[in-house]
Amino acid sequence: MSKANKKFSRFQPKESYAEDGPSEVQEKFPLKLAMWDFGHCDRKRCTGSKLSRMGFVKELRVSQKWRGVILTPVGKQTVSVEDKDIVTELGACVVDCSWARLNEVPFAKIRGKHERLLPYLIAANPVNYGRPLKLSCAEAIAGTLYITGHEESAKQLMSKFKWGPAFFQVNSDLLERYSKCRNSAEVIQAQNDYLRQVEQERQEQQTYNASVVNGLHSSNLNDSDDESGLIQNPNHDPSNRTRRKKEWEEDSEEDEEDDEEDDEEDDEE
């Protein structure tokens, strides 16, 4: 298992999707947030709908425009800290739809000036936990806020879900890398470096597993020198194995002779 997989496997949530956080009291959020909701999800379980009920997110009609950052699959560049002022002044908007029904979304009608893509992030919501890029609305917005320098606002947003903190734990390394990038190009580079690292760890793990299966791992233990501070396992010494085999054979022969003597005594009786 790679380090990345080990990291997020510890935080897997068991709670429900959206109805598991604090009571939905109207609360003022420091940034402008919005979403286009296409009704693909159960509103009782939708993170975007929950944030809307709490007053964090404004729901838009398809015909409405959004002047701030728009998270959309048709974006031409990745969100970065360069977008901080845009998010601060104009906010961020997400498309609330099902990943399985993207072809039904009229992206041409909800285009804007600041369309952005999210870099590689791992979902922590109970529905798609551990799946790359399968983020909920809340996770997509939180990722955007964190990357653009609004870390505290991102954490405030995700605090409304019991599983919310897991998003930052699972993606801690990635979010830190992205937040330190100066522009979209550096975010893409950081993403690709991370993916190469994960792939290298995966290959190393496969090589290690194969060496164990083939007995190579055990034989390598014999190569350690005396300065390592390790005591060599006597079972790995060929001379000891030969000696023990001979002792075992001699013991077996003695046992057979004893059995034969016992049988002879029984016959005499």
Side-chain angles (χ1 to χ4, degrees):
M1 182 181 293
S2 69
K3 293 180 181 178
N5 290 335
K6 287 181 180 178
K7 180 184 296 183
F8 67 72
S9 64
R10 299 196 304 272
F11 306 110
Q12 186 164 0
K14 297 181 180 179
E15 297 89 354
S16 60
Y17 195 61
E19 293 187 309
D20 56 1
S23 58
E24 298 177 5
V25 179
Q26 289 283 323
E27 185 177 339
K28 184 174 177 59
F29 194 70
L31 299 170
K32 298 176 183 178
L33 303 178
M35 71 173 183
W36 284 286
D37 184 3
F38 288 91
H40 293 174
C41 309
D42 181 352
R43 289 186 64 84
K44 292 182 178 180
R45 302 175 67 235
C46 176
T47 60
S49 295
K50 176 173 181 174
L51 294 174
S52 175
R53 293 192 296 270
M54 297 183 70
F56 279 33
V57 172
K58 176 183 178 181
E59 294 192 37
L60 303 177
R61 299 186 303 275
V62 174
S63 58
Q64 283 184 274
K65 301 295 183 181
W66 183 257
R67 297 169 57 207
V69 168
I70 299 175
L71 300 172
T72 169
V74 297
K76 301 301 182 184
Q77 69 181 71
T78 303
V79 67
S80 72
V81 74
E82 280 189 317
D83 299 312
K84 182 175 183 178
D85 291 341
I86 300 174
V87 173
T88 301
E89 297 175 12
L90 303 175
C93 184
V94 67
V95 179
D96 186 4
C97 63
S98 169
W99 284 98
R101 299 169 63 181
L102 285 177
N103 61 322
E104 300 177 17
V105 179
F107 286 108
K109 295 183 179 181
I110 56 176
R111 299 176 69 89
K113 184 178 179 181
H114 306 293
E115 297 175 346
R116 297 291 185 266
L117 295 165
L118 271 174
Y120 182 94
L121 288 170
I122 300 168
N125 66 74
V127 173
N128 289 310
Y129 186 86
R131 295 182 180 179
L133 307 177
K134 299 292 186 179
L135 307 183
S136 64
C137 289
E139 290 170 312
I141 295 174
T144 299
L145 298 183
Y146 197 108
I147 293 169
T148 56
H150 298 91
E151 179 180 341
E152 293 305 316
S153 294
K155 291 181 177 179
Q156 179 184 351
L157 188 80
M158 295 306 291
S159 69
K160 304 308 172 184
F161 307 92
K162 287 184 179 179
W163 51 267
F167 175 72
F168 301 107
Q169 294 165 330
V170 167
N171 294 286
S172 60
D173 186 16
L174 285 167
L175 289 171
E176 283 302 309
R177 293 189 189 203
Y178 298 153
S179 63
K180 293 177 181 178
C181 296
R182 294 171 296 179
N183 51 50
S184 178
E186 290 189 4
V187 170
I188 294 297
Q189 183 62 50
Q191 168 189 271
N192 294 341
D193 289 344
Y194 175 83
L195 293 176
R196 278 193 293 270
Q197 176 186 335
V198 171
E199 178 61 21
Q200 181 179 351
E201 290 175 358
R202 186 187 67 81
Q203 292 179 359
E204 290 175 353
Q205 186 65 45
Q206 287 182 340
T207 301
Y208 173 81
N209 292 342
S211 70
V212 172
V213 171
N214 295 328
L216 297 179
H217 180 61
S218 296
S219 64
N220 288 339
L221 295 177
N222 296 328
D223 296 334
S224 61
D225 52 22
D226 295 338
E227 296 179 356
S228 66
L230 299 177
I231 298 176
Q232 187 181 44
N233 189 334
N235 292 321
H236 294 158
D237 188 340
S239 61
N240 284 341
R241 288 200 298 269
T242 303
R243 178 173 54 82
R244 286 194 172 90
K245 181 179 179 182
K246 184 177 181 181
E247 291 174 352
W248 179 82
E249 291 175 345
E250 291 175 352
D251 290 340
S252 298
E253 291 176 358
E254 290 177 2
D255 291 339
E256 290 177 359
E257 291 175 358
D258 290 341
D259 291 340
E260 290 176 358
E261 291 177 1
D262 291 340
D263 291 339
E264 290 176 358
E265 291 178 359
D266 291 339
D267 293 340
E268 291 177 356
E269 292 178 0

